[in-house]
Amino acid sequence: MESAEQPAPVLVTGGTGTLGRAVVAELAARGVPTRVMSRTAAPGVPGRVVGDLASGAGLDAAVAGVRAVIHCATDPRRAKQVDVDGTGLLLTALQRSAPAAHLVLVSIVGCDANPLGYYRRKHETELLVRGSPAPSTLVRATQFHQLVATVSRVLTLGPLGLAVRGLRFEPCDPAWVAAHLVRVALGPPLSARLDLAGPEVLPLAQALRLTARAAGHRAPRVVTVPGWGRVWRGFAAGSNLPGPDAVTGGSTYAGWLAGRG
């Protein structure tokens, strides 16, 4: 039971993931009481509670008495079960146990503009939250630097790199996104969606070279290929890039790579 003198906690779903860990660290730095929901035991994570979005198990206990929920949990492989249906179960638990809690939903820039299955599910989740009575704010972010680094490594084979023609990112640092999420969660719900993006547009070919150099390798010779199918053509056309109203900032991709060295 929470102490009467202690402020109500903020619940972080997906609190052991890339973004979730950054959110938990930001809350701790601000001295905000925090709960972290995970499906299994997470040793060393303060405030951890066991809960499963896919089944709904433990959700009522996880949300009881919270002031806000920063909803980072996602599963690209089970997006219907976890993102869509799981968010529905979370909304139901909030209505039962914490109807005034501010729900901050984390989504993806351009998820309504690309036919990728995971993106369609993310947009479906957005609509579900917007149609609920829960006080909520929708925050979209561009791809994280970690994802760009992974893609770059996969597409670099020795001296050669493969890039889809026209594919660009505006990647962002999860720690910077986390600071915005916490600020939003501790305030009243925003009437408009908040889009977050990194400080620069980065062509995939440039990302391949930067990633290789940061690892101490020679920059690959990049071979470009046309996008194939509606998904890749959509990305090549910039469906993953933010509009002019996005808030931009945080480290550049090159700066993030340098910080990991």
Side-chain angles (χ1 to χ4, degrees), residues 153-168:
R153 287 191 292 267
V154 168
L155 294 179
T156 300
L157 303 173
L160 295 179
L162 184 67
V164 175
R165 186 173 300 126
L167 180 56
R168 298 153 291 158

Side-chain angles (χ1 to χ4, degrees), residues 124-210:
E124 189 177 344
T125 304
E126 293 179 353
L127 297 176
L128 182 65
V129 170
R130 282 302 196 199
S132 78
S136 63
T137 298
L138 172 59
V139 180
R140 288 181 176 179
T142 54
Q143 286 72 35
F144 296 145
H145 291 319
Q146 287 90 335
L147 177 62
V148 175
T150 298
V151 170
S152 297
R153 287 191 292 267
V154 168
L155 294 179
T156 300
L157 303 173
L160 295 179
L162 184 67
V164 175
R165 186 173 300 126
L167 180 56
R168 298 153 291 158
F169 300 95
E170 197 164 335
C172 56
D173 187 342
W176 176 80
V177 173
H180 281 277
L181 291 172
V182 171
R183 174 184 59 80
V184 169
L186 297 179
L190 301 180
S191 58
R193 187 185 76 217
L194 174 63
D195 285 2
L196 301 174
E200 63 177 357
V201 176
L202 182 71
L204 176 56
Q206 184 180 353
L208 297 182
R209 298 184 181 102
L210 288 172

Side-chain angles (χ1 to χ4, degrees), residues 95-109:
Q95 282 301 108
R96 284 194 299 257
S97 303
H102 180 189
L103 174 63
V104 179
L105 175 67
V106 182
S107 191
I108 305 171
V109 165

Side-chain angles (χ1 to χ4, degrees), residues 35 191 239 257:
R35 288 184 193 160
S191 58
S239 66
L257 286 171

